[in-house]
Amino acid sequence: MSDVSDADHPTSGSRQYHIALERGELAEYIVLVGDPGRVAKVASRWEGVELERSNREITTATGTYHGMPISAMSTGMGTDNVEIVLAEVMEITDRPTFIRVGSSGALQPEIGLGDLVISIGAVRLENTTDFYVHPGYPAIAHRDVVWALESACRDLGFAYHVGLTATASGFYAPQGRQMRTLPVRYPHLAEELRRQGVANLEMESSALFVLAGLAGLRAGTVCAAYAQRVDGTFLEGAAKEAAEARCIDAGLAGIHLLWEMDLGQDSDPRERWSSLTGRRAGEQ
């Protein structure tokens, strides 16, 4: 019977079933990306990589970034994949901190192509999280992570915006994109979200925020604006690569600030948060 395991908690030996990792192979500071190819781009900025593994669409690297133990993991696309990755990561770590580095479509006209958007929370246009919480339950980024990402963007001189994100369950009809062959139930979704003040639209953050919040963990998201849904433009080529690079750099700088704070090497985040908020208010 050694080849039979618990159907509620399947593993491959001591490894988690989907991520193919066991305790000790992940750092407590984790950068999440959607695209498996982006993991190598994140890890290329580190001093060293100690572990690399791929299973299904989940690619993982663990190493060191400016003295901080760090991991980068791909989740693939969608909240269903995020749910699987987070559930298994939580089984083999103690109190992980997550920063998602992703791409999104901008919904507000002042957000330029290539700008970064830091999420303060997410509109749950998906049903993965309904299996954990009431439909009215909010998906909120951890304020320390928002502080760290905003501080990182300011220090790096990147154009950024802070606001609400909408998380859709797919890319085409779930984001109101018109198609030639298939009907779209909510063709005016992007415009409706824009009127409601939502900053951007993507496919993962609400699950990250809800599940991390339920577990008492820190999580946040920074996304590059690849699309501008107001005028219908989309970033390509070198400009897209540069935006991705800025997003990665902001995510890494932000998670490093949190590590420094945890070690007592940085100031109280509440003081920095208040300072940043005050400056924004004074600039308006």
Side-chain angles (χ1 to χ4, degrees):
M1 297 293 291
S2 60
D3 292 333
V4 178
S5 62
D6 181 359
D8 286 340
H9 302 91
T11 61
S12 178
S14 60
R15 299 188 182 281
Q16 294 298 302
Y17 185 65
H18 297 91
I19 64 177
L21 298 167
E22 62 185 4
R23 181 167 287 275
E25 294 183 331
L26 276 179
E28 295 288 315
Y29 299 85
I30 302 172
V31 173
L32 298 175
V33 299
D35 181 1
R38 194 173 291 155
V39 171
K41 296 177 182 180
V42 174
S44 70
R45 289 149 165 84
W46 303 350
E47 290 87 72
V49 176
E50 301 158 8
L51 176 143
E52 294 178 289
R53 182 164 296 130
S54 292
N55 190 54
R56 303 181 184 229
E57 64 266 57
I58 302 162
T59 295
T60 303
T62 296
T64 305
Y65 174 70
H66 295 324
M68 173 183 65
I70 188 170
S71 293
M73 301 183 71
S74 62
T75 62
M77 294 181 289
T79 54
D80 51 344
N81 288 337
V82 170
E83 186 261 353
I84 291 169
V85 170
L86 259 64
E88 295 189 1
V89 166
M90 290 177 192
E91 288 294 315
I92 59 172
T93 54
D94 294 321
R95 291 195 59 79
T97 293
F98 302 99
I99 289 185
R100 164 168 148 70
V101 171
S103 60
S104 66
L107 297 172
Q108 300 300 325
E110 67 271 17
I111 301 176
L113 286 175
D115 286 1
L116 303 185
V117 180
I118 299 167
S119 304
I120 58 173
V123 181
R124 294 166 52 208
L125 302 179
E126 43 80 21
N127 73 342
T128 302
T129 51
D130 289 347
F131 291 91
Y132 288 89
V133 294
H134 185 277
Y137 190 92
I140 302 172
H142 196 284
R143 63 177 266 168
D144 288 357
V145 184
V146 176
W147 155 77
L149 288 171
E150 189 171 359
S151 183
C153 286
R154 292 181 70 97
D155 291 345
L156 292 167
F158 294 160
Y160 74 95
H161 309 263
V162 179
L164 283 172
T165 292
T167 298
S169 58
F171 187 79
Y172 290 100
Q175 295 189 31
R177 285 186 165 93
Q178 305 262 4
M179 290 175 285
R180 182 178 62 83
T181 55
L182 295 171
V184 179
R185 188 176 180 186
Y186 303 109
H188 305 297
L189 176 64
E191 173 59 22
E192 181 179 342
L193 291 169
R194 184 194 68 77
R195 292 198 306 269
Q196 294 172 2
V198 178
N200 63 333
L201 184 56
E202 48 86 272
M203 296 168 57
E204 287 83 25
S205 289
S206 62
L208 172 62
F209 298 163
V210 168
L211 298 186
L214 289 174
L217 304 175
R218 298 179 302 191
T221 290
V222 58
C223 283
Y226 282 4
Q228 177 38 273
R229 298 296 299 275
V230 176
D231 61 20
T233 54
F234 193 86
L235 205 59
E236 293 183 342
K240 181 180 176 182
E241 293 178 4
E244 179 185 45
R246 288 193 295 274
C247 198
I248 291 171
D249 288 340
L252 286 172
I255 206 165
H256 194 269
L257 280 172
L258 292 169
W259 175 72
E260 289 182 323
M261 180 187 78
D262 293 343
L263 292 179
Q265 296 178 2
D266 209 310
S267 59
D268 186 329
R270 290 166 293 189
E271 295 177 1
R272 296 279 299 267
W273 175 278
S274 299
S275 176
L276 286 169
T277 303
R279 283 202 293 272
R280 279 207 310 274
E283 291 166 358
Q284 292 175 351

